Amino acid sequence: MRLKYPKKGKFGEFGGRFIPETLVPAVEELEEAYLKFRNDSDFKKELHYYLVQYAGRPTPLYFAKNLSEALGGARIYLKREDLLHGGAHKINNTLGQGLLAKRMKKKRIIAETGAGQHGVATAMACAALGLRSEVYMGYKDTQRQKLNVFRMKLLGSVVHPVKEGTQTLKDAINEAIRDWITNVKTTYYLLGSAVGPHPYPVMVRDFQSVIGQEILTQMKELEKKSPDTVIACVGGGSNAIGTFYPLIDEDTEMFGIEAGGQGIKSGHHSATLAAGSKGILHGMLTYLLQDEEGQIKDTHSIAAGLDYPGVGPEHAYLKDAKRVKYDAVSDDDAVQAFLMLARHERIIPALESSHAVAYAIKIAKRMPKSETIVITLSGRGDKDVEIVEKYLSQNVKNKR
């Protein structure tokens, strides 16, 4: 299905640049630099070097034989972004933006993080490239992701816990933007997901598109065709849009899976595309979780990286264009998928990725064995083992 993309960072009616006047020069400078360097041969060569030699690309496309046989349906492949340096797909983007920041002569980098993976990837990229980094993280997230907080500090980053609002990703982004406004001349804001004002959604998508490009090449080598189905989790949506974009014109069914939390009807979830409405947040027009007065609702997910009340504007566009189907998976189903992949394949996925695994488990059973599913395993689950252990022990207590 061939889609027509408008210019200037608009995806249909979504996207755009809704920002304070003080940030306009900085965003215009960023766009100018990105347009200048994205096709520059030296920039591409240096990025390729770091992606291969430092981050560990290309990542394997692993046939999950045991899981496929247990389900008895489609053949399931795992795109192993969890094997990248740092344990997640985030390094693809931080290396790209870090190299761009250097060319823009910026020496101080700020970032936001939810689960901590983008913060860790920012710290790693900045250490490799000789840049100073500071990371904003919701206080609630610093408590449930203590390991990643320590990793960021170990790698030389300053971590700022944010105690305003819900103390999660939304509030970390708010604080990072405030910092950027104050220090706009010297500071580069390295946004971690495909959200925010133009050119961030386009830029992050492009740096993450290496995922989908590799999937397409690898599947044609392994199966002699593009995948029948691809599935990726969606919070802000960077791993998902990096998976989907190179496959837009292929005959591939695509699913983006959001955090259903305790159920859509409960109100305790982060399923923006399933239950949201159109509005403006963090410089973009997109789908949001908001009340009748336009106030942002509190969100919930067992996966800190999916705990966000908005979504990248390109996902909003792909939903309305009906090119990608979006659905939600509950906390409980994500935990069960976490356990199932660990038991059958001895691979421990991030809780974010477990939402995509859960949806694959659901649909694979009713698909013929001749068809294929690719799951983008966006990160590894070391950071989530204690969360899952606590969740399981609480459920046992509640059932007594």
Side-chain angles (χ1 to χ4, degrees):
M1 178 181 179
R2 190 168 294 277
L3 296 177
K4 185 177 180 181
Y5 277 77
K7 295 180 180 179
K8 271 293 175 188
K10 294 283 282 184
F11 307 98
E13 66 182 299
F14 301 105
R17 189 181 281 168
F18 299 88
I19 54 175
E21 265 187 61
T22 49
L23 278 183
V24 171
V27 171
E28 288 179 344
E29 178 192 23
L30 176 61
E31 182 183 19
E32 183 181 346
Y34 181 61
L35 292 174
K36 177 182 177 181
F37 290 112
R38 68 175 178 179
N39 293 318
D40 178 79
S41 58
D42 289 339
F43 180 84
K44 290 166 72 174
K45 183 179 179 181
E46 190 173 8
L47 177 57
H48 181 263
Y49 169 81
Y50 279 104
L51 287 174
V52 173
Q53 300 297 334
Y54 185 71
R57 301 213 73 89
T59 57
L61 187 65
Y62 172 69
F63 174 47
K65 181 174 179 288
N66 297 333
L67 181 62
S68 300
E69 289 179 353
L71 296 173
R75 298 192 304 285
I76 297 173
Y77 286 86
L78 306 175
K79 183 56 174 163
R80 299 293 307 276
E81 296 298 290
D82 60 308
L83 294 179
L84 285 171
H85 183 40
H89 68 290
K90 295 293 188 180
I91 195 81
N92 302 323
N93 173 53
T94 60
L95 284 171
Q97 288 201 56
L99 286 170
L100 184 61
K102 283 195 77 170
R103 279 163 171 76
M104 294 173 68
K105 311 296 184 188
K106 307 285 186 180
K107 294 184 179 179
R108 177 178 180 258
I109 307 295
I110 58 170
E112 85 300 327
T113 195
Q117 290 302 112
H118 174 60
V120 170
T122 297
M124 287 177 169
C126 288
L129 299 174
L131 298 166
R132 182 161 60 98
S133 61
E134 299 180 32
V135 179
Y136 289 90
M137 188 173 188
Y139 180 74
K140 185 190 293 184
D141 292 337
T142 65
Q143 295 305 297
R144 56 180 173 175
Q145 295 292 347
K146 290 182 179 179
L147 175 61
N148 274 341
V149 173
F150 181 68
R151 289 169 79 195
M152 284 181 264
K153 292 178 179 178
L154 193 62
L155 292 164
S157 276
V158 176
V159 180
H160 300 287
V162 177
K163 295 187 177 181
E164 281 75 32
T166 59
Q167 303 179 9
T168 56
L169 180 59
K170 168 181 69 72
D171 310 290
I173 293 175
N174 288 342
E175 285 303 309
I177 290 173
R178 288 190 189 103
D179 183 320
W180 194 25
I181 291 171
T182 306
N183 303 288
V184 72
K185 289 185 179 179
T186 59
T187 298
Y188 183 99
Y189 179 21
L190 204 166
L191 224 169
S193 197
V195 300
H198 177 66
Y200 281 110
V202 172
M203 192 165 61
V204 175
R205 177 200 70 197
D206 290 350
F207 288 135
Q208 292 293 358
S209 285
V210 65
I211 302 171
Q213 290 160 6
E214 287 182 7
I215 288 172
L216 194 55
T217 301
Q218 291 166 325
M219 281 299 288
K220 287 185 175 177
E221 289 174 355
L222 294 166
E223 293 280 348
K224 312 304 179 191
K225 63 174 186 175
S226 55
D228 295 297
T229 301
V230 296
I231 306 173
C233 64
V234 177
S238 63
N239 92 91
I241 204 63
T243 299
F244 299 156
Y245 186 66
L247 297 165
I248 288 290
D249 294 331
E250 298 292 321
D251 188 20
T252 297
E253 191 170 28
M254 298 190 280
F255 293 93
I257 308 305
E258 298 185 293
Q262 296 169 13
I264 304 298
K265 292 182 179 178
S266 73
H268 301 291
H269 62 83
S270 301
T272 307
L273 291 166
S277 56
K278 297 171 186 176
I280 294 171
L281 177 69
H282 295 145
M284 61 182 172
L285 174 64
T286 187
Y287 279 100
L288 309 175
L289 292 173
Q290 56 188 339
D291 61 23
E292 294 79 6
E293 297 177 349
Q295 298 301 306
I296 301 301
K297 291 182 178 179
D298 290 350
T299 55
H300 163 79
S301 173
I302 193 170
L306 302 184
D307 204 347
Y308 181 62
V311 68
E314 193 163 355
H315 286 294
Y317 171 65
L318 292 173
K319 168 189 162 68
D320 280 8
K322 296 181 167 44
R323 178 59 188 96
V324 178
K325 297 175 184 176
Y326 294 89
D327 208 336
V329 158
S330 69
D331 287 348
D332 190 58
D333 285 346
V335 169
Q336 294 308 312
F338 178 99
L339 297 174
M340 191 169 185
L341 192 63
R343 287 167 182 163
H344 285 284
E345 298 293 346
R346 301 301 188 258
I347 294 171
I348 301 174
L351 277 170
E352 290 79 11
S353 311
S354 298
H355 287 71
V357 175
Y359 199 79
I361 290 168
K362 175 183 173 182
I363 68 170
K365 300 173 185 178
R366 57 177 184 256
M367 291 172 65
K369 293 181 180 180
S370 60
E371 293 193 2
T372 58
I373 296 174
V374 174
I375 307 167
T376 295
L377 211 62
S378 58
R380 69 178 187 231
D382 310 41
K383 66 185 180 62
D384 296 320
V385 170
E386 289 184 10
I387 294 171
V388 172
E389 183 182 36
K390 184 177 178 181
Y391 183 87
L392 293 172
S393 65
Q394 285 178 339
N395 280 3
V396 169
K397 289 178 183 176
N398 291 337
K399 289 177 181 177
R400 285 175 181 169

